[in-house]
Short mmCIF file of all heavy atoms in Angstrom, two decimals:
data_model
loop_
_atom_site.label_atom_id
_atom_site.label_comp_id
_atom_site.label_asym_id
_atom_site.label_seq_id
_atom_site.Cartn_x
_atom_site.Cartn_y
_atom_site.Cartn_z
N ALA A 3 48.54 -9.45 -17.36
CA ALA A 3 49.12 -8.47 -16.47
C ALA A 3 48.00 -7.70 -15.72
O ALA A 3 48.20 -7.22 -14.62
CB ALA A 3 49.97 -7.47 -17.22
N TYR A 4 46.83 -7.71 -16.30
CA TYR A 4 45.68 -6.98 -15.74
C TYR A 4 44.57 -7.91 -15.30
O TYR A 4 43.79 -7.51 -14.37
CB TYR A 4 45.16 -5.96 -16.80
CG TYR A 4 46.29 -5.10 -17.29
CD1 TYR A 4 46.91 -5.38 -18.50
CD2 TYR A 4 46.81 -4.10 -16.49
CE1 TYR A 4 47.98 -4.63 -18.95
CE2 TYR A 4 47.91 -3.35 -16.95
CZ TYR A 4 48.46 -3.62 -18.17
OH TYR A 4 49.54 -2.89 -18.56
N LEU A 5 44.47 -9.09 -15.88
CA LEU A 5 43.37 -9.98 -15.54
C LEU A 5 43.80 -11.21 -14.78
O LEU A 5 42.94 -11.95 -14.28
CB LEU A 5 42.74 -10.49 -16.87
CG LEU A 5 42.18 -9.41 -17.79
CD1 LEU A 5 41.64 -10.03 -19.08
CD2 LEU A 5 41.09 -8.55 -17.10
N GLY A 6 45.07 -11.48 -14.68
CA GLY A 6 45.58 -12.69 -14.04
C GLY A 6 45.60 -13.89 -14.97
O GLY A 6 44.97 -13.86 -16.01
N ASP A 7 46.38 -14.86 -14.61
CA ASP A 7 46.46 -16.09 -15.40
C ASP A 7 45.35 -17.04 -15.06
O ASP A 7 45.09 -17.28 -13.87
CB ASP A 7 47.84 -16.74 -15.19
CG ASP A 7 48.01 -18.02 -16.01
OD1 ASP A 7 47.78 -17.99 -17.23
OD2 ASP A 7 48.35 -19.06 -15.42
N VAL A 8 44.71 -17.58 -16.05
CA VAL A 8 43.70 -18.61 -15.84
C VAL A 8 44.17 -19.81 -16.69
O VAL A 8 44.45 -19.67 -17.88
CB VAL A 8 42.28 -18.15 -16.26
CG1 VAL A 8 41.28 -19.27 -16.15
CG2 VAL A 8 41.87 -16.99 -15.45
N SER A 9 44.26 -21.01 -16.09
CA SER A 9 44.75 -22.15 -16.82
C SER A 9 43.86 -22.46 -18.03
O SER A 9 42.66 -22.23 -18.07
CB SER A 9 44.85 -23.35 -15.93
OG SER A 9 43.53 -23.76 -15.50
N THR A 10 44.50 -23.02 -19.06
CA THR A 10 43.82 -23.30 -20.33
C THR A 10 42.54 -24.12 -20.19
O THR A 10 41.54 -23.76 -20.72
CB THR A 10 44.82 -24.00 -21.29
OG1 THR A 10 45.93 -23.09 -21.50
CG2 THR A 10 44.17 -24.32 -22.63
N PRO A 11 42.59 -25.21 -19.45
CA PRO A 11 41.32 -25.99 -19.33
C PRO A 11 40.16 -25.21 -18.69
O PRO A 11 39.06 -25.26 -19.13
CB PRO A 11 41.69 -27.19 -18.44
CG PRO A 11 43.19 -27.34 -18.59
CD PRO A 11 43.67 -25.91 -18.82
N LEU A 12 40.47 -24.45 -17.68
CA LEU A 12 39.46 -23.61 -17.01
C LEU A 12 39.00 -22.51 -17.92
O LEU A 12 37.77 -22.25 -18.06
CB LEU A 12 40.02 -23.06 -15.71
CG LEU A 12 39.08 -22.21 -14.88
CD1 LEU A 12 37.88 -23.04 -14.45
CD2 LEU A 12 39.82 -21.70 -13.66
N LYS A 13 39.90 -21.84 -18.59
CA LYS A 13 39.59 -20.73 -19.45
C LYS A 13 38.65 -21.14 -20.62
O LYS A 13 37.87 -20.36 -21.10
CB LYS A 13 40.86 -20.13 -20.05
CG LYS A 13 40.64 -18.79 -20.73
CD LYS A 13 41.89 -18.29 -21.41
CE LYS A 13 43.08 -18.11 -20.53
NZ LYS A 13 44.25 -17.44 -21.23
N SER A 14 38.77 -22.42 -21.05
CA SER A 14 37.99 -22.87 -22.18
C SER A 14 36.54 -23.26 -21.82
O SER A 14 35.73 -23.51 -22.74
CB SER A 14 38.67 -24.05 -22.88
OG SER A 14 38.66 -25.16 -22.03
N MET A 15 36.25 -23.29 -20.53
CA MET A 15 34.89 -23.66 -20.12
C MET A 15 33.86 -22.60 -20.54
O MET A 15 34.19 -21.42 -20.57
CB MET A 15 34.85 -23.83 -18.59
CG MET A 15 35.71 -24.96 -18.07
SD MET A 15 35.77 -25.06 -16.30
CE MET A 15 34.06 -25.52 -15.95
N PRO A 16 32.63 -23.06 -20.88
CA PRO A 16 31.60 -22.10 -21.29
C PRO A 16 31.36 -21.01 -20.23
O PRO A 16 31.08 -19.85 -20.61
CB PRO A 16 30.34 -23.00 -21.45
CG PRO A 16 30.86 -24.38 -21.65
CD PRO A 16 32.18 -24.44 -20.93
N GLU A 17 31.51 -21.34 -19.00
CA GLU A 17 31.26 -20.37 -17.94
C GLU A 17 32.27 -19.23 -17.95
O GLU A 17 32.08 -18.22 -17.26
CB GLU A 17 31.29 -21.04 -16.54
CG GLU A 17 30.17 -22.07 -16.36
CD GLU A 17 30.53 -23.45 -16.88
OE1 GLU A 17 31.60 -23.66 -17.52
OE2 GLU A 17 29.73 -24.38 -16.66
N MET A 18 33.36 -19.41 -18.65
CA MET A 18 34.41 -18.39 -18.67
C MET A 18 34.35 -17.47 -19.88
O MET A 18 35.29 -16.77 -20.23
CB MET A 18 35.78 -19.08 -18.66
CG MET A 18 36.05 -19.83 -17.32
SD MET A 18 36.08 -18.80 -15.90
CE MET A 18 37.60 -17.97 -16.10
N ALA A 19 33.22 -17.51 -20.58
CA ALA A 19 33.05 -16.65 -21.81
C ALA A 19 33.31 -15.17 -21.48
O ALA A 19 33.96 -14.48 -22.26
CB ALA A 19 31.69 -16.86 -22.38
N GLY A 20 32.83 -14.68 -20.33
CA GLY A 20 33.06 -13.33 -19.95
C GLY A 20 34.53 -12.96 -19.77
O GLY A 20 35.00 -11.92 -20.18
N TYR A 21 35.30 -13.88 -19.19
CA TYR A 21 36.73 -13.71 -19.03
C TYR A 21 37.39 -13.62 -20.41
O TYR A 21 38.21 -12.74 -20.66
CB TYR A 21 37.38 -14.84 -18.20
CG TYR A 21 38.88 -14.68 -18.13
CD1 TYR A 21 39.42 -13.98 -17.10
CD2 TYR A 21 39.71 -15.25 -19.08
CE1 TYR A 21 40.84 -13.80 -17.00
CE2 TYR A 21 41.08 -15.08 -19.01
CZ TYR A 21 41.65 -14.37 -17.98
OH TYR A 21 43.01 -14.21 -17.91
N ARG A 22 36.98 -14.53 -21.30
CA ARG A 22 37.59 -14.54 -22.64
C ARG A 22 37.26 -13.20 -23.37
O ARG A 22 38.10 -12.71 -24.12
CB ARG A 22 37.10 -15.74 -23.46
CG ARG A 22 37.64 -17.07 -22.93
CD ARG A 22 37.36 -18.24 -23.84
NE ARG A 22 35.95 -18.47 -24.13
CZ ARG A 22 35.15 -19.19 -23.40
NH1 ARG A 22 35.60 -19.79 -22.29
NH2 ARG A 22 33.90 -19.36 -23.74
N ASP A 23 36.12 -12.67 -23.17
CA ASP A 23 35.75 -11.36 -23.76
C ASP A 23 36.63 -10.26 -23.20
O ASP A 23 37.13 -9.38 -23.98
CB ASP A 23 34.29 -11.05 -23.53
CG ASP A 23 33.30 -11.91 -24.27
OD1 ASP A 23 33.72 -12.63 -25.27
OD2 ASP A 23 32.09 -11.98 -23.91
N LEU A 24 36.82 -10.24 -21.90
CA LEU A 24 37.72 -9.26 -21.28
C LEU A 24 39.17 -9.44 -21.77
O LEU A 24 39.86 -8.44 -22.06
CB LEU A 24 37.71 -9.41 -19.74
CG LEU A 24 36.49 -8.91 -19.02
CD1 LEU A 24 36.49 -9.37 -17.56
CD2 LEU A 24 36.38 -7.41 -19.13
N GLU A 25 39.57 -10.67 -21.92
CA GLU A 25 40.92 -10.95 -22.42
C GLU A 25 41.09 -10.42 -23.85
O GLU A 25 42.08 -9.74 -24.16
CB GLU A 25 41.16 -12.48 -22.37
CG GLU A 25 42.54 -12.91 -22.80
CD GLU A 25 42.71 -14.40 -22.70
OE1 GLU A 25 41.82 -15.17 -23.20
OE2 GLU A 25 43.66 -14.82 -22.09
N ALA A 26 40.09 -10.66 -24.69
CA ALA A 26 40.17 -10.16 -26.07
C ALA A 26 40.20 -8.62 -26.13
O ALA A 26 40.98 -8.02 -26.91
CB ALA A 26 38.98 -10.68 -26.89
N ALA A 27 39.40 -7.97 -25.31
CA ALA A 27 39.37 -6.53 -25.27
C ALA A 27 40.69 -5.96 -24.76
O ALA A 27 41.18 -4.95 -25.30
CB ALA A 27 38.19 -6.03 -24.37
N THR A 28 41.27 -6.59 -23.79
CA THR A 28 42.55 -6.12 -23.23
C THR A 28 43.69 -6.35 -24.25
O THR A 28 44.51 -5.49 -24.44
CB THR A 28 42.90 -6.87 -21.93
OG1 THR A 28 41.76 -6.71 -21.04
CG2 THR A 28 44.14 -6.31 -21.26
N GLN A 29 43.69 -7.48 -24.95
CA GLN A 29 44.70 -7.76 -25.99
C GLN A 29 44.54 -6.74 -27.11
O GLN A 29 45.52 -6.36 -27.72
CB GLN A 29 44.59 -9.19 -26.48
CG GLN A 29 45.19 -10.20 -25.55
CD GLN A 29 46.66 -10.07 -25.31
OE1 GLN A 29 47.06 -9.68 -24.19
NE2 GLN A 29 47.46 -10.33 -26.29
N LYS A 30 43.31 -6.32 -27.39
CA LYS A 30 43.11 -5.30 -28.42
C LYS A 30 43.82 -4.00 -28.03
O LYS A 30 44.42 -3.36 -28.89
CB LYS A 30 41.59 -5.06 -28.64
CG LYS A 30 41.26 -4.21 -29.77
CD LYS A 30 39.75 -4.14 -30.02
CE LYS A 30 39.40 -3.18 -31.15
NZ LYS A 30 37.96 -3.11 -31.36
N CYS A 31 43.73 -3.64 -26.77
CA CYS A 31 44.43 -2.43 -26.26
C CYS A 31 45.95 -2.61 -26.39
O CYS A 31 46.66 -1.68 -26.77
CB CYS A 31 44.05 -2.17 -24.82
SG CYS A 31 42.33 -1.65 -24.61
N VAL A 32 46.42 -3.80 -26.02
CA VAL A 32 47.87 -4.10 -26.13
C VAL A 32 48.32 -4.00 -27.61
O VAL A 32 49.36 -3.35 -27.90
CB VAL A 32 48.21 -5.48 -25.56
CG1 VAL A 32 49.62 -5.89 -25.86
CG2 VAL A 32 47.92 -5.52 -24.05
N ALA A 33 47.52 -4.54 -28.51
CA ALA A 33 47.84 -4.47 -29.94
C ALA A 33 47.96 -3.03 -30.40
O ALA A 33 48.88 -2.64 -31.07
CB ALA A 33 46.81 -5.25 -30.74
N ALA A 34 47.01 -2.25 -29.99
CA ALA A 34 47.02 -0.79 -30.39
C ALA A 34 48.27 -0.07 -29.81
O ALA A 34 48.92 0.68 -30.52
CB ALA A 34 45.70 -0.10 -29.89
N LYS A 35 48.56 -0.31 -28.53
CA LYS A 35 49.67 0.32 -27.87
C LYS A 35 51.00 0.02 -28.60
O LYS A 35 51.85 0.89 -28.79
CB LYS A 35 49.74 -0.09 -26.40
CG LYS A 35 50.97 0.36 -25.69
CD LYS A 35 51.07 1.85 -25.48
CE LYS A 35 52.32 2.24 -24.76
NZ LYS A 35 52.53 3.67 -24.78
N PHE A 36 51.17 -1.24 -29.01
CA PHE A 36 52.45 -1.66 -29.61
C PHE A 36 52.39 -1.75 -31.11
O PHE A 36 53.28 -2.36 -31.72
CB PHE A 36 52.91 -2.95 -28.96
CG PHE A 36 53.22 -2.71 -27.46
CD1 PHE A 36 52.30 -3.15 -26.47
CD2 PHE A 36 54.38 -2.09 -27.05
CE1 PHE A 36 52.56 -2.91 -25.16
CE2 PHE A 36 54.64 -1.85 -25.71
CZ PHE A 36 53.69 -2.25 -24.77
N LYS A 37 51.32 -1.19 -31.73
CA LYS A 37 51.16 -1.16 -33.18
C LYS A 37 51.27 -2.49 -33.83
O LYS A 37 51.99 -2.71 -34.80
CB LYS A 37 52.18 -0.14 -33.73
CG LYS A 37 51.96 1.29 -33.22
CD LYS A 37 53.01 2.23 -33.75
CE LYS A 37 52.82 3.63 -33.26
NZ LYS A 37 52.67 3.93 -31.91
N LEU A 38 50.49 -3.43 -33.28
CA LEU A 38 50.44 -4.79 -33.84
C LEU A 38 49.00 -5.06 -34.28
O LEU A 38 48.05 -4.62 -33.66
CB LEU A 38 50.77 -5.84 -32.75
CG LEU A 38 52.25 -5.84 -32.24
CD1 LEU A 38 52.32 -6.71 -31.02
CD2 LEU A 38 53.15 -6.29 -33.35
N PRO A 39 48.83 -5.84 -35.35
CA PRO A 39 47.51 -6.27 -35.72
C PRO A 39 47.00 -7.24 -34.64
O PRO A 39 47.69 -8.18 -34.30
CB PRO A 39 47.70 -6.99 -37.04
CG PRO A 39 49.08 -6.81 -37.47
CD PRO A 39 49.87 -6.26 -36.30
N VAL A 40 45.84 -6.99 -34.08
CA VAL A 40 45.31 -7.85 -33.00
C VAL A 40 45.21 -9.32 -33.43
O VAL A 40 45.39 -10.19 -32.59
CB VAL A 40 43.98 -7.29 -32.45
CG1 VAL A 40 42.85 -7.48 -33.43
CG2 VAL A 40 43.67 -7.86 -31.09
N GLU A 41 45.00 -9.54 -34.71
CA GLU A 41 44.86 -10.92 -35.22
C GLU A 41 46.16 -11.70 -35.08
O GLU A 41 46.17 -12.95 -35.02
CB GLU A 41 44.46 -10.91 -36.69
CG GLU A 41 43.20 -10.17 -37.03
CD GLU A 41 43.39 -8.68 -37.14
OE1 GLU A 41 44.46 -8.18 -37.53
OE2 GLU A 41 42.41 -7.95 -36.87
N LEU A 42 47.26 -10.97 -34.95
CA LEU A 42 48.59 -11.64 -34.86
C LEU A 42 48.68 -12.47 -33.56
O LEU A 42 49.35 -13.50 -33.53
CB LEU A 42 49.71 -10.59 -34.91
CG LEU A 42 51.08 -11.09 -35.33
CD1 LEU A 42 51.06 -11.92 -36.61
CD2 LEU A 42 52.01 -9.90 -35.51
N PHE A 43 47.95 -12.04 -32.50
CA PHE A 43 48.00 -12.84 -31.25
C PHE A 43 47.39 -14.21 -31.45
O PHE A 43 47.69 -15.16 -30.70
CB PHE A 43 47.26 -12.11 -30.12
CG PHE A 43 47.94 -10.82 -29.72
CD1 PHE A 43 47.22 -9.62 -29.71
CD2 PHE A 43 49.28 -10.79 -29.33
CE1 PHE A 43 47.81 -8.43 -29.30
CE2 PHE A 43 49.86 -9.60 -28.90
CZ PHE A 43 49.14 -8.43 -28.92
N SER A 44 46.54 -14.37 -32.45
CA SER A 44 45.91 -15.68 -32.73
C SER A 44 46.61 -16.42 -33.86
O SER A 44 46.08 -17.44 -34.32
CB SER A 44 44.42 -15.45 -33.10
OG SER A 44 43.74 -14.81 -32.07
N ASP A 45 47.74 -15.94 -34.29
CA ASP A 45 48.47 -16.57 -35.39
C ASP A 45 48.72 -18.04 -35.02
O ASP A 45 49.20 -18.31 -33.93
CB ASP A 45 49.79 -15.83 -35.65
CG ASP A 45 50.52 -16.33 -36.86
OD1 ASP A 45 51.08 -17.42 -36.79
OD2 ASP A 45 50.54 -15.62 -37.88
N PRO A 46 48.49 -18.97 -35.95
CA PRO A 46 48.79 -20.39 -35.64
C PRO A 46 50.19 -20.68 -35.22
O PRO A 46 50.45 -21.60 -34.41
CB PRO A 46 48.45 -21.07 -36.97
CG PRO A 46 47.65 -20.13 -37.77
CD PRO A 46 47.97 -18.77 -37.25
N ARG A 47 51.18 -19.90 -35.65
CA ARG A 47 52.60 -20.13 -35.24
C ARG A 47 52.74 -19.77 -33.78
O ARG A 47 53.46 -20.48 -33.08
CB ARG A 47 53.51 -19.28 -36.09
CG ARG A 47 53.48 -19.71 -37.59
CD ARG A 47 54.18 -18.75 -38.50
NE ARG A 47 53.44 -17.46 -38.53
CZ ARG A 47 53.76 -16.40 -39.30
NH1 ARG A 47 54.83 -16.47 -40.03
NH2 ARG A 47 53.04 -15.32 -39.28
N ILE A 48 52.08 -18.74 -33.29
CA ILE A 48 52.13 -18.37 -31.88
C ILE A 48 51.32 -19.39 -31.06
O ILE A 48 51.78 -19.86 -30.03
CB ILE A 48 51.65 -16.94 -31.64
CG1 ILE A 48 52.61 -15.95 -32.32
CG2 ILE A 48 51.52 -16.63 -30.15
CD1 ILE A 48 52.13 -14.50 -32.29
N LYS A 49 50.18 -19.75 -31.54
CA LYS A 49 49.31 -20.73 -30.82
C LYS A 49 50.06 -22.06 -30.64
O LYS A 49 50.00 -22.63 -29.60
CB LYS A 49 47.97 -20.93 -31.51
CG LYS A 49 47.06 -19.72 -31.48
CD LYS A 49 46.60 -19.52 -30.06
CE LYS A 49 45.57 -18.40 -29.97
NZ LYS A 49 45.21 -18.09 -28.60
N ALA A 50 50.75 -22.53 -31.71
CA ALA A 50 51.47 -23.77 -31.60
C ALA A 50 52.61 -23.71 -30.60
O ALA A 50 52.79 -24.57 -29.76
CB ALA A 50 52.02 -24.16 -32.99
#
């Protein structure tokens, strides 16, 4: 909602490390706002 969508293949490129860091920091804020453990976003059930 704040960073825009980046396709999975592009996002996984080494050059996109900075974007992934921003994404993680933003998700941490989302987790705090909605009282969720940030690790839950990486849960294998959600990833699958």
Side-chain angles (χ1 to χ4, degrees):
Y4 308 100
L5 303 176
D7 180 52
V8 176
S9 66
T10 300
L12 182 60
K13 192 186 303 186
S14 69
M15 294 175 66
E17 297 86 354
M18 295 298 287
Y21 177 89
R22 291 190 303 273
D23 291 343
L24 286 170
E25 184 178 50
T28 306
Q29 283 298 109
K30 187 175 179 179
C31 293
V32 170
K35 172 67 180 169
F36 296 101
K37 298 176 178 53
L38 293 169
V40 71
E41 304 82 29
L42 202 50
F43 294 125
S44 300
D45 186 287
R47 296 169 291 184
I48 294 173
K49 290 293 186 186

